[in-house]
Amino acid sequence: MPDHTTHQKTRTVVVTGGTRGIGKAICLAFAGPDTRIYFNYSSSASAAVEIEKIIGDAGGFAKGMQVDVMSGKDVESFFGKILEESGRIDVLVNNAGIARDGLLVRMKEKDWDDVLDTNLKGAFLCTKIAVKPMIKQRYGRIINISSVVGASGNPGQANYVASKAGIIGFTKAVAKELASRDITVNAVAPGFVETDMTGALSEKAKEVLISGIPLGRIGKPEDIAAVVLFLASEGASYITGQVVHVNGGMYM
Ligand code: NAP
């Protein structure tokens, strides 16, 4: 069997939502002299420039683009530019996500649509385009960021939980479709991770959450990035269609 990563000198990695939190940690974890990193974001242009600089100064390559993952047109032009410059896509990490929490009875239709469109449709749009070069290459690694609540459920997050459970089903279906082309598709389900998304929680709420985590701490974005990096490595080449829970034991 060919060893694609060693035959392919430079690998191209695409990370959605790479400007903050988990996505930023994923971009930094992948950075290296033989990796071209493309990431997108919704509005954080200055954060994108900073990440490009950190990775560039360390001898790597990273390029951020403002691309709304909800828009098929935006996504098409994003991948078009990547393919024009790199000619291939080795790894896709579907990470961009939002939460618009509220109890079901009060949930606005727009909050349902925005969350499903960003978290689930966004992954569909990006994956659909990225798999075309992967199929031609007969190689690819797709890693979708789900959430512990996609498996456990959570009150006040019907939209978010539906999107993250949807990501798990999507992962399994696409894994079965693409396995014959040596494309693996897996999901990582983070628990409670310290990012802007969870930053709004009060100290009291955080204490309660931590008391339910056997490892006794909130996760760091780097805890998630390390698992994503592994799933994209040759060591993970026999893993597909799986959900890897990274949550300090809060859900088993
Ligand atoms: P975050 O800090 O809020 O960052 C979200 C990222 O997604 C940002 O880069 C943001 O860009 C980008 N983004 C949002 N909407 C977008 C859109 N329509 N198009 C393109 N980019 C968009 O989030 P995070 O906590 O790192 O979460 C990352 C992923 O992990 C999400 O899928 C989330 O659901 C999942 N997750 C997080 C936790 C947690 O505890 N934090 C737990 C489980 C799962 P801008 O910077 O421009 O806004």
Side-chain angles (χ1 to χ4, degrees):
M1 289 288 281
D3 178 345
H4 304 273
T5 47
T6 49
H7 286 175
Q8 189 56 45
K9 259 193 82 169
T10 303
R11 93 179 150 160
T12 300
V13 175
V14 182
V15 180
T16 68
T19 37
R20 291 186 284 121
I22 294 169
K24 177 180 177 182
I26 292 170
C27 288
L28 297 178
F30 270 110
D34 297 332
T35 307
R36 295 176 69 85
I37 299 168
Y38 291 89
F39 62 95
N40 66 31
Y41 57 91
S42 169
S43 58
S44 308
S46 57
V49 172
E50 194 189 306
I51 292 162
E52 287 172 353
K53 187 167 164 21
I54 295 170
I55 294 176
D57 287 352
F61 171 91
K63 190 183 223 179
M65 295 180 227
Q66 183 176 25
V67 172
D68 184 350
V69 295
M70 292 195 268
S71 153
K73 246 170 93 182
D74 271 28
V75 167
E76 203 172 314
S77 109
F78 175 55
F79 282 95
K81 281 182 200 138
I82 296 169
L83 282 171
E84 218 174 274
E85 290 184 13
S86 281
R88 59 184 288 123
I89 295 170
D90 298 281
V91 180
L92 168 66
V93 184
N94 284 308
N95 165 78
I98 59 167
R100 299 279 181 269
D101 297 350
L103 291 172
L104 174 71
V105 288
R106 281 189 231 127
M107 189 171 284
K108 295 187 179 75
E109 193 175 334
K110 181 163 173 27
D111 288 340
W112 174 273
D113 287 344
D114 285 352
V115 169
L116 268 291
D117 284 356
T118 306
N119 300 5
L120 187 55
K121 183 181 163 191
F124 155 70
L125 291 172
C126 293
T127 306
K128 188 180 169 187
I129 297 189
V131 297
K132 284 178 190 152
M134 287 180 178
I135 287 170
K136 276 201 202 124
Q137 293 157 199
R138 300 187 76 84
Y139 177 83
R141 297 281 178 265
I142 298 168
I143 297 128
N144 299 319
I145 307 300
S146 176
S147 167
V148 61
V149 300
S152 67
N154 202 27
Q157 290 198 303
N159 50 357
Y160 184 78
V161 169
S163 73
K164 294 301 183 180
I167 281 288
I168 293 174
F170 175 72
T171 297
K172 293 180 183 181
V174 180
K176 287 189 175 182
E177 283 187 29
L178 297 173
S180 65
R181 308 301 169 105
D182 202 7
I183 298 168
T184 66
V185 189
N186 291 289
V188 174
F192 180 47
V193 182
E194 188 87 67
T195 68
D196 293 343
M197 191 178 270
T198 49
L201 288 173
S202 68
E203 283 309 310
K204 181 85 198 127
K206 282 186 189 170
E207 267 172 42
V208 173
L209 267 163
I210 292 170
S211 70
I213 302 173
L215 283 176
R217 67 169 175 88
I218 295 175
K220 300 188 294 278
E222 292 75 17
D223 294 322
I224 311 306
V227 177
V228 171
L229 203 66
F230 168 67
L231 288 172
S233 74
E234 278 309 287
S237 57
Y238 197 53
I239 302 174
T240 197
Q242 303 304 308
V243 182
V244 183
H245 285 274
V246 187
N247 58 34
M250 72 183 275
Y251 175 82
M252 297 183 185

